Amino acid sequence: MSQTANGRAGGAGGGARGTAAEAEALPGADARAATLRDGAAERDRAARVPVDELAALGRSGLLGLTVPARFGGADVSTVTLVEVFRRLAAADPSVAQVPQNHYVFVSVLRHDGTEEQQRRLLGEVLAGARFGNALSERGTRHVMDMRTRLLPAADGTLRLNGTKYYCTGALTARWIPVFALDERDRLVVAYVPRDAAGVEVLQDWTAFGQRATMSGTTRLVDVAVAPENVVAHWHTYERPQVAGAFGQILHAAIDVGIAGAALADGARFVRDKARPWFEAAEERAADEPHVLLRFGQLGARVHAAEALLRRAAEALDAAGAEGPPPSAEAAGAASLAVAEAKAFGGDVAVEVASEIFGLMGASAADAAHDLDRHWRNARTHTLHDPARWKYVHNGNHIINGVLPPNHGLI
């Protein structure tokens, strides 16, 4: 990507929407995807931390895609960003998932950060810094029950204490944004340097899928936090918002990318390696009508998932995902569109990644091909939050006209 597109040129003209900066985003994503695709199976087998790949992502300028133009960022549309994620995920969904929360915390700064916070922290992003995350906690009553606290100490400093899990990207990030409650039980985001005293990021991620994300534990013990690095995030949920939907649609793009990759790899295996069933009249498995029928059905579902994904991204742009607060109706409509795309896209990813094995034959189960990574990745990533509730909220709106709840997971 050019100096203007990746933001390093600076200045107010650094790539507003509809300019060359937006046009360069997808070729930039394709270039990254081309370098990721060949090593994806090896990284999955070894559960290797993709240090070099993430460093290259930082150098590519893609991390600055959503930084406002007035700070020198590309300021791309949600439609473009979502397509970037889909293409990266089709190449390697583990690497694609690592920056998902990066863009979420760029958005937090855009919506809730002060002008000084935006200029300083987003300036680091344009220089290649990446945000990790420390959001979720284990062992609490439910996902919204948070124990991590940012409280004033006796000496007047702010101190952060808690234990987080599913900290995708924290291990190799420059900054770790942390969800915490302040002394009035309000939600804040503390932007903590990865190398700050009291921060410990463990390599204890042992899930069977999305192995290279290293989404394990972060321990925060009496971490000193500068007040200028704390963002009052509770303001987001005092008004209609699509902040939650913005994070959700990036997850949806990863699932749809996995579905497309599984379909393509399955087709390639059938075409190049699979044998026809002995009862078939055809000489190649790739010509069996039953195989063609099922691939046609799966392909239609993948294409439907891609269309719903784009529709949802367009709804977010229309609601102003990176602009002023939308109306309750606009926020609700966009959130429901994202919920539908994410629920359906996740279902399709799991289905396609499983169904292709019945069409490829027993030899496809050989670990040498690592084709099971598509199912393992899809099944693991779609556990992020349950699709059943997304369908329920959509159904409640269809039947009863009820808008979805105003929280960060729809």
Side-chain angles (χ1 to χ4, degrees):
M1 297 177 71
S2 71
Q3 292 285 302
T4 300
N6 66 29
R8 294 185 183 122
R17 291 181 179 177
T19 67
E22 178 120 5
E24 289 181 19
L26 296 183
D30 287 338
R32 283 289 88 227
T35 67
L36 293 174
R37 190 170 289 108
D38 288 344
E42 182 275 327
R43 284 188 294 273
D44 171 73
R45 291 190 195 97
R48 178 171 66 79
V49 181
V51 174
D52 293 339
E53 291 79 7
L54 292 172
L57 182 67
R59 293 190 299 270
S60 73
L62 291 173
L63 295 178
L65 285 178
T66 57
V67 172
R70 72 180 188 277
F71 297 126
D75 200 17
V76 303
S77 64
T78 308
V79 168
T80 295
L81 182 66
V82 165
E83 182 61 12
V84 165
F85 261 80
R86 189 191 68 80
R87 295 185 188 192
L88 291 176
D92 188 332
S94 286
V95 175
Q97 189 184 339
V98 170
Q100 185 268 339
N101 278 298
H102 166 85
Y103 292 102
V104 168
F105 287 109
V106 169
S107 183
V108 167
L109 287 168
R110 290 184 63 143
H111 287 288
D112 296 326
T114 65
E115 182 76 12
E116 185 279 330
Q117 288 172 329
Q118 293 171 353
R119 189 170 301 280
R120 176 169 50 86
L121 292 172
L122 296 180
E124 292 212 20
V125 168
L126 294 177
R130 178 172 47 78
F131 297 141
N133 93 90
L135 306 182
S136 297
E137 301 178 14
R138 275 180 158 180
T140 57
R141 191 167 64 90
H142 52 67
V143 70
M144 292 295 193
D145 183 17
M146 190 178 304
R147 309 291 168 83
T148 300
R149 293 293 186 271
L150 179 68
L151 301 173
D155 62 0
T157 62
L158 289 174
R159 297 286 170 166
L160 183 64
N161 286 278
T163 300
K164 299 288 189 175
Y165 196 69
Y166 307 111
C167 299
T168 304
L171 185 67
T172 54
R174 188 178 303 175
W175 291 84
I176 304 176
V178 181
F179 269 8
L181 300 180
D182 69 5
E183 68 275 16
R184 295 171 60 184
D185 284 339
R186 299 174 303 187
L187 180 64
V188 299
V189 178
Y191 287 74
V192 178
R194 166 67 179 85
D195 58 359
V199 175
E200 183 183 16
V201 183
L202 307 181
Q203 295 192 47
D204 59 345
W205 176 245
T206 55
F208 60 67
Q210 294 295 88
R211 290 172 172 174
T213 64
M214 289 297 156
S215 302
T217 301
T218 296
R219 292 177 180 156
L220 306 149
V221 180
D222 210 29
V223 179
V225 179
E228 59 268 25
N229 288 339
V230 179
V231 174
H233 192 40
W234 73 84
H235 290 308
T236 288
Y237 301 102
E238 294 178 336
R239 61 198 181 225
Q241 51 79 33
V242 289
F246 177 73
Q248 289 281 297
I249 199 171
L250 301 183
H251 281 302
I254 293 168
D255 295 335
V256 175
I258 294 171
L263 186 73
D265 281 354
R268 188 177 303 110
F269 194 95
V270 167
R271 187 169 56 249
D272 298 342
K273 297 181 182 298
R275 297 182 297 175
W277 183 239
F278 75 95
E279 294 178 279
E282 292 74 25
E283 294 295 320
R284 302 188 314 148
D287 295 325
E288 278 193 42
H290 302 298
V291 173
L292 298 177
L293 170 66
R294 190 62 181 132
F295 263 95
Q297 293 170 331
L298 294 175
R301 289 178 63 75
V302 171
H303 297 150
E306 292 170 351
L308 284 176
L309 184 68
R310 183 176 180 88
R311 170 180 174 269
E314 290 171 347
L316 279 179
D317 280 332
E322 296 299 347
S327 67
E329 290 72 21
S335 295
L336 289 170
V338 173
E340 187 174 62
K342 187 174 186 300
F344 184 77
D347 288 348
V348 170
V350 173
E351 177 188 9
V352 172
S354 175
E355 286 291 297
I356 56 173
F357 282 92
L359 304 169
M360 295 185 296
S363 60
D366 193 316
H369 304 301
D370 200 41
L371 291 169
D372 62 304
R373 75 182 187 278
H374 297 304
W375 182 87
R376 289 186 288 101
N377 288 335
R379 184 67 282 177
T380 300
H381 188 254
T382 53
L383 297 176
H384 183 271
D385 50 286
R388 62 185 182 272
W389 279 94
K390 300 184 186 306
Y391 286 125
V392 164
H393 290 311
N394 269 282
N396 201 17
H397 184 259
I398 291 168
I399 295 177
N400 300 312
V402 176
L403 292 175
N406 190 42
H407 60 59
L409 289 175
I410 190 167

